């Protein structure tokens, strides 16, 4: 089941605590922003008919966090969690501690922000702007940040720009505090070697299989057994909630006619870009730059007196700079508008009027002049037309989507809008949240359907039709939840053959479990495994050898077989039973031999382990720092207000 192999290199220490699962670990580096940003990528935010009160629930350093903000953050956390579990409801999320978790993260984030501000730290507008521009959801049709799209996304999710900026600024301040603390971790050498040696530990053992099929009863179950089993296992035979979607897709081609460039637009753009297409010059220069005007005038006199630019520069310990042929715009970017204007006004071979830039005073000689003829409109018409069409297309498709959404908000039905905008509609079969059509097994959802499954299962039939952008600017889907089919068990009459088989499998599994327990008890009492297997009363497969080094499990890029993982959890000469998947039976795992490792034989592993432990220690430092900041800043939580909000979120009054 394994091979004895050791390879040095990057690895993950599975025996160490996973920081990302710790209570503060997720919050420190992502804060509440994790779930918040997730909702900017897909899904439909909003709080439905939930009433948002304004009462204060938490006070952090004298600053209050009210019910409205916490409700918004809980909703955003829920939507983030739904990326992994589309069936998750608000009731389940809150019951599992989602509200308390969100409050803790919000308190910690706000406490760190307050502490940072007390130390004089600020997140600049430029830093926040850059963070906002990096969010793909704010990109326009060109794939770059688009202010209009930005405002539309915020409006759709009922968020203000200031609210968003506050979250990004808070994240920046938190990182500025936490990262240096995490990086300060140092691990004593005496602690590293035992952990590294543990990774080199090898184990040898055996795995025996006790399959349920070996204990399957031969007599058919009675009707009463079948009925009783069905009633006890209704969840197993329940078809999950399904939803029917009506939708239509469209892309930029729907506005292609409106986006075509007119002759007037092409000519106007051509004229506006005269610097690029009109007759123009390119000039090459040699220049000297000195700090004062007096020095510049002295150099000018030397050059006019016959001294070369290079020698004149050497006389003041300056190098003459050669500028290859460039246009006015290029030279202006290199020097400044005043210097460029003077340089392009001087005759060839002459020194331009001395002008000052941010670099100093420029003595510029015109070395050559190249006249470039105007580019005729005919040769760039196609390019200009394409540029205009791209811009008009982006505006037109945004207007088109906005018009649909406005009409839907105004009460227009899905059918009315599809007819008005000439959209071809389709209707899906009843789908689960995973996109499976139980009644139509051959059906595979189109990309447009897959793109809206998450918001569809968050919607209600009363919601307005809506438009969702498809990934990578490939188009849009206009959709409406048609109807919901509640989860319900299939009738026993339709499933009788399956239920009978399940009854028999259940009996076989129970008998296999009893046999496995008997074998384990015998082995742990000193009976050889082969002998214990023969005592099961049925023919069982011969046990398979299992051999591995703990480091292999840590390095594995694929899931470790459960019996092999069990081998490393057992004391030497001990056995334990482990369930097979799908009630297929039981494994009996015995650890025959434990061979300790010695990290002194692998210096590279010791260093790699030190780095891994430093990360764990750093995470712990950050957690302790955050805890200290919470105490320093001061946090007060209104328990009764939390209880009231919890009841509201779960559907109470």
């Amino acid at each position: 089941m394994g091979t004895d192999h050791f390879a040095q290199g990057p690895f993950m220490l599975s025996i160490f605590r996973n920081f990302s699962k710790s209570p503060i670990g997720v919050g420190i580096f992502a804060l509440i922003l994790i779930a918040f940003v997730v909702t900017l990528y897909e899904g439909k935010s909003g709080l439905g008919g939930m009433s948002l009160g304004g009462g204060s629930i938490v006070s952090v350093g004298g600053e209050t966090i009210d019910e409205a903000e916490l409700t918004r953050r809980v909703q955003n956390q829920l939507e983030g969690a739904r990326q992994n579990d589309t069936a998750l409801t608000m009731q389940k999320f809150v019951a599992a501690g989602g509200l308390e978790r969100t409050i803790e993260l919000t308190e910690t984030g706000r406490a760190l922000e307050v502490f940072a501000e007390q130390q004089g730290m600020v997140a600049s507008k430029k830093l926040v702007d850059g963070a906002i521009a990096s969010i793909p959801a704010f990109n326009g049709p060109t794939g770059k940040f688009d202010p209009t799209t930005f405002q539309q996304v915020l409006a759709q999710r009922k968020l203000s720009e200031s609210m968003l900026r506050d979250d990004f600024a808070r994240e920046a301040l938190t990182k500025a505090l936490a990262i240096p603390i995490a990086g300060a971790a140092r691990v004593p050498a005496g602690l590293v070697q035992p952990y590294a040696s543990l990774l080199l530990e090898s184990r040898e053992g055996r795995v025996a299989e006790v399959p349920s099929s070996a204990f399957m009863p031969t007599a058919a179950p009675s009707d009463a057994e079948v009925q009783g089993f069905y009633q006890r296992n209704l969840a197993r035979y329940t078809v999950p909630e399904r939803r029917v979607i009506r939708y239509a897709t469209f892309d930029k081609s729907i506005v292609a006619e409106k986006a075509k460039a007119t002759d007037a637009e092409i000519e106007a753009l051509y004229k506006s870009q005269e610097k690029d297409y009109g007759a123009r010059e390119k000039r090459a220069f040699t220049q000297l730059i000195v700090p004062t005007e007096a020095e510049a005038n002295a150099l000018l006199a030397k050059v006019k007196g016959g001294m070369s630019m290079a020698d004149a520069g050497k006389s003041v310990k300056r190098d003459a700079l050669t500028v290859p042929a460039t246009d006015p715009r290029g030279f202006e970017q290199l020097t400044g508008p005043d210097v460029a204007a003077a340089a392009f006004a001087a005759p060839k071979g002459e020194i331009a009027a001395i002008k000052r830039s941010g670099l100093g005073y420029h003595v510029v000689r015109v070395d050559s002049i190249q006249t470039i003829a105007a580019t005729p409109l005919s040769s760039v018409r196609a390019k200009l037309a394409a540029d205009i069409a791209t811009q008009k297309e982006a505006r037109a498709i945004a207007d088109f989507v906005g018009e649909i959404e406005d009409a839907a908000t105004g009460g227009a039905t899905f059918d009315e809008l599809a007819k008005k905008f000439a959209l071809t509609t389709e209707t899906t079969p009843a789908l689960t949240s995973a996109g499976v059509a139980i009644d139509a097994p051959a059906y595979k959802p189109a990309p447009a359907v897959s793109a809206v499954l998450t918001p569809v299962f968050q919607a209600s039939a009363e919601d307005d039709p809506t438009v969702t952008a498809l990934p990578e600017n490939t188009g849009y889907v206009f959709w409406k939840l048609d109807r919901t089919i509640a989860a319900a068990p299939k009738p026993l009459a339709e499933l009788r053959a399956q239920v009978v088989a399940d009854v028999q499998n259940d009996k076989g599994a129970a008998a296999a479990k009893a046999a496995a327990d008997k074998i384990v008890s015998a082995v742990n009492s000193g009976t050889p495994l082969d002998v214990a297997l023969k005592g099961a009363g049925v023919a069982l497969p011969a046990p398979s050898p299992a051999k591995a080094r703990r480091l292999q499990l840590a390095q594995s890029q694929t899931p470790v077989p459960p019996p092999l993982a069990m081998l490393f959890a057992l004391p030497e000469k001990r056995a334990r039973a482990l369930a097979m998947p799908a009630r297929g039976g039981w494994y009996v795992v015995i650890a025959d031999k434990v061979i300790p490792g010695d990290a002194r034989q692998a210096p590279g592993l010791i260093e790699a382990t030190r780095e891994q432990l430093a990360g764990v220690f750093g995470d712990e430092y950050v957690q302790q720092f955050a805890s200290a900041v919470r105490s320093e800043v001061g946090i007060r939580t209104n328990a009764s207000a939390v209880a009231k909000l919890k009841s509201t979120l779960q559907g109470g009054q």
Side-chain angles (χ1 to χ4, degrees):
M1 185 171 295
T3 59
D4 190 9
H5 173 72
F6 169 65
Q8 293 193 21
F11 61 95
M12 185 66 73
L13 298 179
S14 59
I15 59 173
F16 297 151
R17 174 171 53 82
N18 186 338
F19 176 56
S20 66
K21 296 178 182 177
S22 66
I24 299 181
V26 174
I28 289 299
F29 290 106
L31 229 55
I32 302 304
L33 204 58
I34 286 180
F36 173 70
V37 172
V38 166
T39 64
L40 296 180
Y41 284 91
E42 58 179 315
K44 184 172 65 176
S45 185
L47 303 175
M50 194 175 293
S51 173
L52 298 182
S56 173
I57 293 182
V58 175
S59 173
V60 180
E63 296 185 11
T64 60
I65 302 174
D66 60 19
E67 179 182 339
E69 179 176 351
L70 283 176
T71 303
R72 173 178 66 86
R73 293 191 181 280
V74 170
Q75 182 71 25
N76 287 330
Q77 289 278 25
L78 171 62
E79 292 188 12
R82 278 176 174 162
Q83 307 303 312
N84 296 321
D85 182 3
T86 56
L88 186 64
T89 64
M90 177 63 81
Q91 289 76 15
K92 291 179 181 178
F93 181 74
V94 174
L99 173 60
E100 291 80 4
R101 168 80 171 141
T102 302
I103 291 175
E104 178 189 359
L105 288 173
T106 306
E107 290 173 345
T108 301
R110 194 62 55 84
L112 289 165
E113 179 189 25
V114 171
F115 181 80
E117 291 175 347
Q118 289 174 349
Q119 310 312 308
M121 299 172 63
V122 295
S124 68
K125 181 178 182 298
K126 183 177 181 180
L127 181 65
V128 174
D129 286 345
I132 291 174
S134 69
I135 301 298
F138 298 146
N139 292 347
T142 62
K144 297 182 179 180
F145 176 79
D146 178 65
T148 302
T149 303
F150 172 60
Q151 294 299 333
Q152 288 176 346
V153 171
L154 293 185
Q156 289 168 2
R157 286 150 181 80
K158 300 179 179 65
L159 298 170
S160 68
E161 182 175 345
S162 62
M163 191 183 298
L164 177 70
R165 287 184 172 278
D166 286 347
D167 275 338
F168 274 106
R170 186 172 298 120
E171 185 205 26
L173 292 175
T174 301
K175 285 182 176 179
L177 287 170
I179 291 176
I181 294 170
R186 296 292 181 270
V187 185
L191 182 63
V192 176
Q193 186 171 320
Y195 278 100
S197 294
L198 185 61
L199 286 169
L200 293 179
E201 176 190 273
S202 296
R203 294 199 173 208
E204 298 176 5
R206 287 167 290 167
V207 179
E209 295 184 1
V210 185
S212 299
S213 58
F215 299 88
M216 203 71 70
T218 56
S222 67
D223 289 343
E225 285 181 300
V226 173
Q227 181 67 39
F229 187 88
Y230 172 77
Q231 291 296 333
R232 291 193 304 273
N233 295 276
L234 280 178
R236 184 186 300 188
Y237 307 112
T238 294
V239 177
E241 178 184 296
R242 293 168 292 163
R243 298 195 170 195
V244 177
I245 313 165
R246 299 193 67 200
Y247 72 98
T249 59
F250 60 91
D251 57 26
K252 296 174 184 177
S253 64
I254 203 166
V255 297
E257 196 62 34
K258 292 181 180 179
K260 287 183 178 179
T262 66
D263 289 341
E265 290 171 334
I266 293 172
E267 291 173 6
L269 182 57
Y270 177 76
K271 290 178 180 177
S272 70
Q273 298 182 359
E274 185 177 0
K275 287 184 178 181
D276 294 321
Y277 301 125
R280 57 200 185 278
E281 287 183 349
K282 279 193 173 183
R283 295 188 171 199
F285 306 99
T286 300
Q287 66 170 340
L288 291 165
I289 306 173
V290 291
T292 67
E293 186 174 11
E295 288 179 285
N297 287 326
L299 286 175
L300 176 60
K302 290 178 181 180
V303 173
K304 285 188 174 182
M307 186 179 289
S308 68
M309 290 283 285
D311 289 341
K314 289 179 181 178
S315 69
V316 292
K317 297 182 180 180
R318 298 275 174 172
D319 291 329
L321 306 174
T322 300
V323 181
T326 183
D327 58 18
R329 183 185 304 173
F331 196 58
E332 179 178 322
Q333 292 174 346
L334 186 64
T335 58
D338 292 342
V339 177
F344 275 83
K348 178 181 176 181
E350 296 294 327
I351 304 295
I354 293 174
K355 297 294 181 181
R356 183 183 183 183
S357 75
L359 301 173
Y361 289 86
H362 293 249
V363 179
V364 182
R365 185 185 67 200
V366 182
D367 293 335
S368 66
I369 299 176
Q370 177 187 358
T371 302
I372 301 173
T375 303
L377 174 59
S378 58
S379 65
V380 293
R381 175 179 287 274
K383 177 183 180 304
L384 296 176
D387 291 344
I388 293 169
T390 298
Q391 295 176 3
K392 292 178 67 176
E393 188 180 66
R395 291 194 297 267
I397 195 67
D399 291 343
F400 184 80
V401 171
E403 190 175 352
I404 293 177
E405 291 179 333
D406 289 345
T409 303
T413 67
F414 179 85
D415 287 325
E416 289 170 345
L417 293 172
K419 182 178 180 181
K420 177 180 179 181
F421 294 102
L423 301 176
T424 301
T425 64
E426 297 184 56
T427 302
T428 69
L431 302 176
T432 67
S433 60
V436 176
I438 295 174
D439 298 328
Y443 173 83
K444 291 187 178 180
V449 174
S450 299
V452 300
L453 278 174
T454 296
V456 161
F457 273 82
Q458 297 170 3
S460 66
E462 293 74 29
D463 288 347
D464 297 328
T466 190
V467 176
T468 297
L470 294 175
E472 300 179 2
N473 296 314
T474 54
Y476 301 83
V477 54
F478 173 54
W479 62 273
K480 174 77 170 69
L481 172 62
D482 186 61
R483 66 183 186 276
T484 298
I485 302 171
K490 282 189 174 182
L492 176 58
E494 295 181 19
L495 300 169
R496 184 172 180 80
Q498 178 184 341
V499 176
V500 168
D502 290 345
V503 170
Q504 301 295 73
N505 289 336
D506 192 65
K507 290 180 178 180
K513 174 66 165 63
D517 288 344
K518 181 180 177 181
I519 293 168
V520 168
S521 178
V523 170
N524 288 338
S525 298
T527 303
L529 177 60
D530 293 343
V531 175
L533 290 174
K534 291 179 181 178
V538 299
L540 296 175
S544 301
K547 183 179 180 181
R549 180 171 275 173
R550 192 182 294 272
L551 183 62
Q552 287 178 262
L553 277 63
Q555 289 178 319
S556 177
Q557 299 299 311
T558 58
V560 176
L564 190 58
M566 174 69 77
L567 178 64
F568 283 85
L570 291 172
E572 192 173 50
K573 306 299 183 183
R574 301 293 291 180
R576 188 180 301 172
L578 176 68
M580 293 181 181
R583 298 177 66 79
W586 292 79
Y587 298 109
V588 174
V589 184
I590 179 171
D592 292 319
K593 189 175 182 181
V594 177
I595 306 169
D598 185 356
R600 289 174 297 181
Q601 300 175 5
L605 180 62
I606 292 179
E607 188 56 36
T609 304
R610 187 193 306 277
E611 293 179 5
Q612 292 281 328
L613 283 174
V616 175
F617 276 49
D619 297 340
E620 185 66 32
Y621 285 178
V622 170
Q623 291 188 59
Q624 295 300 324
F625 173 72
S627 178
V629 167
R630 287 171 62 95
S631 298
E632 174 71 20
V633 170
I635 296 175
R636 291 185 299 170
T637 304
N638 187 330
S640 61
V642 171
K644 180 180 177 182
L645 176 58
K646 188 171 187 176
S647 175
T648 300
L649 292 172
Q650 291 182 308
Q653 300 296 323

